[in-house]
Amino acid sequence: MNNEYEEMFELAPVSLWLEDYSGLRALFDSWRAEGVSDLRAFLNADRERVAACSRQLKVVRVNRRTLELFGAADPQHLIDNLERVFRDAMVEPHINELVALWDGDLRFSSQTVNYSLSGERLDIIVNGSVLPGHETDWSRVLVAIENISQRMRAERSLEQAERYARGLFEDSPVSLWVEDFSVIKRLLDEVRSRGIDDFRVFTQVHPEFVERCMQEIRVIDVNRRTLEMFQAPDKATLFGKLDRVFRDEMHLPFAEQLIDLWNGKLFQHREVVNYGLDGERINVLLQFSVLPGAEDDWSLVQVALIDITARKKAEAYLEYLGKHDVLTKLRNRAYFEDELNRLERRGPWPVTVVAIDLNRLKSINDRSGHAAGDALLRRAGEVLAKVTDKPGCAARIGGDEFVLLLPGSGEREGLLVMERVQSLIELNNSYYPGALLSLAMGCATAQKGERLETTVSQADERMMVDKREYYAAASGRDRRGTTLPADLA
C-alpha cells in the first residue's frame, strides 16, 4: 500500500513537496514564550524574522513534476538552490501562511510567485496541510503547487489590452459616447409590427414618437474630451443635464437617424447641432455606429462627435464675404447681380430699384484722407441697412455707388423709401461731427415682363439728375449745367 502511495506522489500531475515544519513550530513556541501575540505585527516589524521562519522549513521530498516545473536535475539540485526559487514577491503571501499556522489552522493557501532555476517567473497557487498524526510537531507537511502562469499571463495580457482600449477611449481627441439604444430598437420594432411601411411619414405625423425615442437614449459612458467639449465638470453632471445638450435643432437630424436605423443603416454620419452646459452652440460631425455583437438589440452604440464649430464659423464668414461688402456690411455687387437675375425670373412684381451715390466722396478723400471717406461710406451703410426689410436688400455695387432692390414694391413705395433715407441722413448727421453725409438718389419701377437691367439704368439716370442738382446748388451754378467738376464727383 505504501508503494502505491509513493507511486501516486511521484506521478502526481501537480508539484508536490513533503516538508518538515517542526523547526518552525519550535520557533513559534519560543516566540510565544517571549510574549509575542500578534505574529503579523511582529514579522512586519522586522522582515528578517520572516527569513528566520523560512530557514526552519526542511524539504524532505519532491516529486517528478516539481523537478520539471522548476527545471532541477534532481531533488538535491533543487534544494541547494531554494534561494533562487523563493524570492522577491513571495514575502507577503508567505507571511499570510505563517499567520494561518500561528493561529492554529493546519491548512493554508495562497497565491504567490516562485522562480524556476532558469529565472522564469512562475505564478502559482500554494495549498499546504499538516498531515494527520503530525498535528503536534508539524514534522510532516504536504504542499501542493499549481502552476497558473499561463492563466496569469493571459489575464495580464487581457488587463493590458483593457487598459490600452480604455486609454484610447479616455484620451481620444474626439468626443466619444457609449450608449444603449435597445429601448429605441424595441420601439421601432413595435411600430413595424403595426404594419407601418413609410416610417418617414410616420415620424412627420407623430413627432412625439421622435421625442420619446430621444428620451430613451441611455448614455453608458463618455470620455474626457466630451466633458471638455460640453463644459461639464464631471460625468454625473453631464448625464443629469442631457436635455440641455440635445435640443432645438437636434430633433430633425435625430429623426433622420431613426429613419436610417429603420432602413438597417447601422453606421451613419451627419452634421448636427448640440449645446454645451454653458449654453454655447456646438456644431458637430456625428458618427454613429452599432458596435459588433450588438446588431440584434443595439444595446451597445458608439457615437463620435467632432467639434466643427470653428470650421462652420469660417465657412459662414467666407459665405458672408462672398455676399457682403466688408466696409459697409451691405450686400456686394455679386449678390446684387444674382438677386437681380432671380427677381427677373421669379418676381415678385413690381420691382422698384433705387440707385444711390454718395456725394463729395472724392473731395473728402483728397482733403481728409481715405479713412475719412471710409467712415462716410460706413455711415451710408448704416442708413441704408435700416430702410430695407426682407425681401428687399441694400447693396454697395461700386466705390460710392449703392442700390436698393425692393421686390413687390411700386414707384410710390420707392419714393417713400427715399424720403425715409433722407430722414435717417439728417438723424445720422446729428450724431457724427465733421463731414455731412449726403446721398443722391433716383428710383424706377419695373412691371412683370420688363427688363430689370433697363430699370436699373433708368434709376441710375434719375440719380445722376439729383446729383447734378446737388452740386449745382452747392456751387451756386445754374442747374442747367450737365457736367460735374472732376473734384466734386
Side-chain angles (χ1 to χ4, degrees), residues 52 64 78 96 115 149 200 210 230 233 241 245 249 257 263 272 299 308 310 348 350 385 445 463 465 476:
R64 187 180 304 170
L78 178 62
N96 292 335
Y115 292 86
S149 299
R200 181 178 295 278
V210 177
F230 290 91
K241 298 180 178 180
V245 174
E249 299 97 325
Q257 186 176 345
N263 293 324
V272 301
S299 59
I308 58 172
T445 301
M463 179 273 296
V465 171

Side-chain angles (χ1 to χ4, degrees), residues 16-246:
L16 296 178
W17 301 61
L18 186 60
E19 302 185 37
D20 181 353
Y21 277 35
S22 58
L24 178 65
R25 177 61 187 264
L27 181 60
F28 278 5
D29 289 343
S30 68
W31 284 345
R32 290 183 195 278
E34 294 172 5
V36 176
S37 59
D38 188 339
L39 181 66
R40 187 180 300 276
F42 184 68
L43 295 177
N44 283 327
D46 184 355
R47 289 298 181 92
E48 177 56 33
R49 293 165 180 160
V50 179
C53 291
S54 297
R55 287 194 292 270
Q56 300 303 318
L57 309 182
K58 308 300 182 185
V59 177
V60 177
R61 184 178 177 183
V62 297
N63 69 346
R64 187 180 304 170
R65 176 63 186 135
T66 302
L67 300 180
E68 295 171 355
L69 179 61
F70 290 91
D74 51 54
Q76 194 59 47
H77 182 206
L78 178 62
I79 292 170
D80 291 343
N81 290 278
L82 289 179
E83 73 281 357
R84 295 164 59 187
V85 173
F86 308 130
R87 57 185 172 92
D88 302 339
M90 71 168 295
V91 175
E92 289 299 332
H94 188 42
I95 289 176
N96 292 335
E97 296 172 4
L98 295 173
V99 170
L101 289 168
W102 173 276
D103 292 338
D105 192 347
L106 299 183
R107 295 177 180 273
F108 55 86
S109 179
S110 65
Q111 183 174 325
T112 185
V113 174
N114 286 174
Y115 292 86
S116 71
L117 298 187
S118 64
E120 179 187 358
R121 174 192 171 108
L122 300 174
D123 291 280
I124 60 173
I125 292 178
V126 176
N127 287 290
S129 176
V130 177
L131 293 180
H134 302 274
E135 294 89 349
T136 57
D137 61 1
W138 302 351
S139 59
R140 287 295 181 270
V141 175
L142 183 63
V143 177
I145 293 179
E146 179 185 356
N147 182 15
I148 59 170
S149 299
Q150 186 174 357
R151 188 185 82 194
M152 292 302 295
R153 281 194 295 270
E155 289 180 1
R156 284 193 293 270
S157 178
L158 178 60
E159 183 179 335
Q160 183 179 10
E162 289 175 349
R163 284 199 304 270
Y164 178 71
R166 190 70 192 178
L168 290 177
F169 176 79
E170 283 292 348
D171 299 325
S172 170
V174 173
S175 169
L176 295 178
W177 301 63
V178 179
E179 301 176 356
D180 180 355
F181 267 50
S182 58
V183 175
I184 296 171
K185 174 71 162 61
R186 289 199 296 272
L187 290 173
L188 294 183
D189 288 345
E190 289 172 7
V191 171
R192 201 185 298 273
S193 68
R194 286 153 50 187
I196 300 298
D197 293 324
D198 194 330
F199 186 67
R200 181 178 295 278
V201 172
F202 176 82
T203 59
Q204 293 169 351
V205 175
H206 298 282
E208 73 281 0
F209 179 81
V210 177
E211 181 68 28
R212 166 77 188 283
C213 289
M214 185 175 288
Q215 293 172 355
E216 293 296 346
I217 298 173
R218 297 289 177 261
V219 178
I220 299 172
D221 201 2
V222 298
N223 65 348
R224 277 192 287 270
R225 175 61 184 135
T226 301
L227 301 181
E228 295 169 1
M229 183 186 300
F230 290 91
Q231 300 296 308
D234 50 57
K235 295 179 182 180
T237 301
L238 179 64
F239 294 172
K241 298 180 178 180
L242 291 177
D243 58 328
R244 293 166 57 180
V245 174
F246 310 127

Side-chain angles (χ1 to χ4, degrees), residues 292-400:
E295 295 90 347
D296 292 336
D297 60 5
W298 305 348
S299 59
L300 209 55
V301 167
Q302 179 174 276
V303 177
L305 301 180
I306 301 173
D307 187 348
I308 58 172
T309 305
R311 192 193 83 190
K312 296 297 286 187
K313 287 180 178 178
E315 289 175 353
Y317 184 62
L318 289 174
E319 183 180 0
Y320 177 88
L321 291 179
K323 297 179 179 180
H324 289 79
D325 172 58
V326 176
L327 181 63
T328 64
K329 305 298 187 290
L330 300 178
R331 298 289 188 173
N332 60 15
R333 186 178 189 89
Y335 179 88
F336 163 72
E337 292 176 348
D338 288 343
E339 185 67 2
L340 207 64
N341 292 330
R342 189 190 69 80
L343 289 173
E344 194 158 279
R345 292 194 308 272
R346 302 180 185 176
W349 302 94
V351 176
T352 293
V353 178
V354 180
I356 303 170
D357 198 277
L358 180 60
N359 292 324
R360 300 176 57 248
L361 178 62
K362 184 177 185 304
S363 62
I364 291 171
N365 283 335
D366 292 343
R367 288 200 312 269
S368 305
H370 286 278
D374 287 348
L376 208 58
L377 287 167
R378 280 192 289 270
R379 290 170 56 189
E382 292 173 7
V383 168
L384 298 179
K386 285 181 170 63
V387 298
T388 49
D389 298 316
K390 290 183 177 180
C393 77
R396 182 189 179 197
I397 59 173
D400 57 359

Side-chain angles (χ1 to χ4, degrees), residues 431-457:
Y431 281 98
Y432 288 94
L436 294 177
L437 177 63
S438 175
L439 300 177
M441 294 181 286
C443 77
T445 301
Q447 302 297 329
K448 186 174 183 179
E450 296 180 347
R451 294 294 307 275
L452 285 178
E453 185 178 348
T454 302
T455 307
V456 172
S457 297

